[in-house]
Amino acid sequence: MKFKFFILLNLYFLFIQNTLAQSEIVTTLNFIPKFGNAALILNDSTYPKNNGDSIKIESLKFYISNIEFLNNDKVIWQEKNSFHLVDASSATSMKIKLVIPPNITCNKIRFNLGIDSLVNVSGVLGGDLDPTKGMYWTWQSGYINFKLEGKSKKCKTRNNEFHFHLGGYQTPYSALQSITLNINNPEKISVVIDLQKLMNEIDLSKQNKIMSPSSEAVFLSKKISQLFSIK
Amino acid sequence: MKKKLLIFIFCGFCLVAFKLQETIFFTEPINWPKANYDFSKNPLSAQKIELGRALFYEPMLSRNNTISCASCHSQYTAFTHVDHDLSHGIDDRIGTRNSPALMNLAWHKLFMWDGAINHLDVQSLAPINHPDEMDEKIESVVTKLQKSKIYPGLFKKAFGDTVITGEYTLKAISQYMLTLVSANSKYDSVMRKQSTFTAQEKNGYNLFKKNCSSCHKEPLFTNLEFENNGLALDKSLNDFGRMKVTKKNSDSLKFKVPTLRNVEFSYPYMHDGRYKRLSDVLKHYTEKIQTSPTLAKQLQKPIILSSNEKVDLIAFLLTLTDKEFIFNPKFSYPKNIFLPKPQE
C-alpha cells in the first residue's frame, strides 16, 4: 500500500517539475565588442587611436560570471554555476543563454568581469573554466579574467605585438570587477564593450605587456569595467 | 513484513560496507594531521588512479614527446631528479631549480619552492607549460591523448567519457599523486612501537627535535611554510623565492621547507641543489648561515653540533627512508598499459 503511495508521490513531483520547467523562459545576454562606432573584427580591420597610432586586435576573451538580475537593488534571480568565457572569435560564446522564470520584474543586471577568489583556489574545473581554454596561468595559479592581444607600430616588441592578460585574485592585486547596468526588461539584453575608450588611454609605446597580477592589471581592469554599456 | 524489512536494511548495510571497502585508496596514517586535499571534489577510483599513473609516465605531455613527469620525478629516488643541481627538461634545457621530491602531497596547501601554485590539481600545468621543462600546452596534450590508441579507452573507464578534457587529465594526475604516501620508514615503525632506534639513531632523533623539528615538523617533516634558511644568494640565478609570488620584501629568499622523508635518496639538497651530501647540509646549518632581515627566527641563534653529533643526526635522518614507498610496484611504470602482453 505504502509502496503505491510512494510511486504516486514520485509521479506527482515529476509532473510538478515538468510544468515548472515549461514555465521557464530563455533569454539572451548578448555581448557586442566595438571600437568606437565600428564593429570589432579580429585580425583584419585596423582601428585608429587618438594619438595617430592605429591598431589591430587579434584576440579578445573575457570571463563573465555570477550573473544576477536585480530589482531596486534587491537580487531576484541568480544564475547557478554562472561562468562564461566570452571570446570574440566565437559568435556563439558572445550570446549567453539564461534560463529565467517568466514575468520577473527587474531593472538591473549585475555580473562579474573575471573569476572570483574562491573559484581561483578550487583546483581544476571543467567547461568554460577548463585550463585548455587558454585563460589559466600555469606558472602561478589563477585565471586570466580578461585577455586582449593585438598589434601596433608603436609597440617596439616582437612583431609589434601587445598583450594584456589581466587577472589576479589575491589582495592587493585582486582584478575582479563587478559590473551593474540598468535594463528595461530581462528578455533580450545587448551589452556593448567599446575598446576605443580603453585603447585611447593606453600609450602602447610605454605599456604593451601585462601578464601577471599587478597594480597595473588592477588599474586597467577597473578601466575595462567602465567600457560596458547597454545598447 | 518486519522481517523482510530487516533483511532489506541488512542488505543495504552490506552493500554500503562493500562499497566503502572498495573505495579506500587513501588513508591518513595514525596520528597524522588531517589531509588538506578535498577528496569530495575528486573522489578517488581505481580507474582514475591508474589513468593518472599512465599520464605521469606519459612523454606525450611534452612538446616533442620525450619528457614525462617521471623524467624529473623518478620513483627510485623518492620522485625527484638526482645527480643534477638544477633539473633538466626538454632538449636538455636546464631550469632554475632542483625538482622537489613528491610524497604526501595531500597534506600540502601550496606547491613549488615558492608556493606559486595553489592547488595540487593545477600543479602539473606548470611543468607541462614551462619552456625548460615540457614546453607544451595542455590544449595540445589533450589533442594528442585524444588521438592516441590507449587514452580514449582509459578516460572512458575512468570518467565514463571518451572525450578528453583538461579537467579530467589533471584530476587523474592528481589522483595518482595523492596515492604517493610515504609513512612506512623505520622512524614510523618506531613511532608505532613496532621497532626501536639504535642508541645512535635515538641520540640523532633528540638532536633533531632540538635543532630541526620546528621547521621540519613531524610527522610530515615539513611545517609546509616558507622560510629563509640562510643560504647565500646564488648570483647566477638571483632567485629570491617566495617574494616573486607575493611581491613582499618580507618574503625575500624564502623557500618552501622540504620534507626530510626519504632524504637519503632525494639528493642534491636545497632549492638550487647546491649541496650533494647530507654532511654538506649540516655544515651549512652549523657554519655557513647568512644573516639577512628575513632569516628564519630559528636560525638566528647558531646551531652547534659536534662531529659525532652530526654523524648521529644523519643516522636518524636515514631512518626516514621508506623502502616500501621507493619500491612500491603500484607507483612504478605501468607496463600493463604501455607494454601490453601480446595475446596468445
Side-chain angles (χ1 to χ4, degrees), chain A residues 120-127 130-132 134 136 138-141 169 173 212-213, chain B residues 41 116-119 121-122 125-126 129 138-139 142 165-167 170-171 245-247:
Chain A
N120 265 293
V121 296
S122 299
V124 67
L125 297 154
D130 194 293
T132 52
Y136 197 87
T138 58
W139 48 274
Q140 181 174 351
S141 304
Y169 65 92
Y173 303 121
S212 60
Chain B
K41 296 220 175 99
I117 307 296
N118 68 19
H119 198 289
D121 293 355
V122 289
L125 285 170
N129 204 216
I138 185 72
E139 298 88 300
V142 166
T165 66
E167 181 194 10
L170 294 169
K171 279 191 167 163
V245 177
T246 62
K247 298 191 171 81

Side-chain angles (χ1 to χ4, degrees), chain A residues 98-194:
Chain A
L98 303 172
V99 182
I100 59 169
N103 307 324
I104 55 169
T105 315
C106 59
N107 54 16
K108 277 177 187 160
I109 183 170
R110 184 164 68 193
F111 51 81
N112 285 339
L113 174 63
I115 299 298
D116 66 28
S117 59
L118 183 67
V119 175
N120 265 293
V121 296
S122 299
V124 67
L125 297 154
D128 276 2
L129 296 173
D130 194 293
T132 52
K133 304 286 176 188
M135 293 291 276
Y136 197 87
W137 275 311
T138 58
W139 48 274
Q140 181 174 351
S141 304
Y143 282 96
I144 299 168
N145 292 338
F146 183 94
K147 197 183 236 189
L148 178 69
E149 295 172 341
K151 283 180 182 170
S152 153
K153 292 243 160 58
K154 294 258 177 189
C155 299
K156 302 292 172 230
T157 53
R158 191 173 156 263
N159 299 328
N160 303 116
E161 286 170 357
F162 60 84
H163 299 263
F164 295 106
H165 297 183
L166 310 179
Y169 65 92
Q170 281 174 308
T171 46
Y173 303 121
S174 168
L176 185 76
Q177 301 296 320
S178 174
I179 296 173
T180 310
L181 301 168
N182 293 325
I183 53 171
N184 291 324
N185 75 70
E187 300 206 354
K188 192 168 190 303
I189 305 162
S190 290
V191 177
V192 170
I193 165 169
D194 180 1

Side-chain angles (χ1 to χ4, degrees), chain B residues 28-29 31-35 107 218-220:
Chain B
E28 282 156 6
N31 295 331
W32 279 38
K34 207 178 163 319
W107 284 267
E218 298 168 69
L220 293 165

Side-chain angles (χ1 to χ4, degrees), chain B residues 134-153:
Chain B
M134 292 161 137
D135 196 24
E136 183 55 294
K137 285 185 169 155
I138 185 72
E139 298 88 300
S140 34
V141 169
V142 166
T143 311
K144 285 193 268 182
L145 296 175
Q146 191 76 67
K147 282 186 194 154
S148 77
K149 271 190 188 153
I150 58 167
Y151 284 102

Side-chain angles (χ1 to χ4, degrees), chain B residues 86-153:
Chain B
L86 305 173
S87 302
H88 61 77
I90 200 161
D91 303 332
D92 291 337
R93 289 182 201 163
I94 294 173
T96 60
R97 287 181 186 155
N98 174 17
S99 66
L102 308 183
M103 70 197 81
N104 305 333
L105 298 171
W107 284 267
H108 290 229
K109 295 183 177 92
L110 297 169
F111 300 84
M112 293 292 191
W113 284 106
D114 56 11
I117 307 296
N118 68 19
H119 198 289
L120 183 62
D121 293 355
V122 289
Q123 163 63 39
S124 323
L125 285 170
I128 289 172
N129 204 216
H130 195 290
D132 295 331
E133 297 181 50
M134 292 161 137
D135 196 24
E136 183 55 294
K137 285 185 169 155
I138 185 72
E139 298 88 300
S140 34
V141 169
V142 166
T143 311
K144 285 193 268 182
L145 296 175
Q146 191 76 67
K147 282 186 194 154
S148 77
K149 271 190 188 153
I150 58 167
Y151 284 102

Side-chain angles (χ1 to χ4, degrees), chain B residues 1 19-20 121 137 143 176 222 238 251 260 309 336:
Chain B
M1 186 64 201
K19 266 265 175 197
L20 281 176
D121 293 355
K137 285 185 169 155
T143 311
Y176 167 73
T222 164
N238 274 328
D251 284 328
L260 300 182
E309 285 175 326
N336 56 324

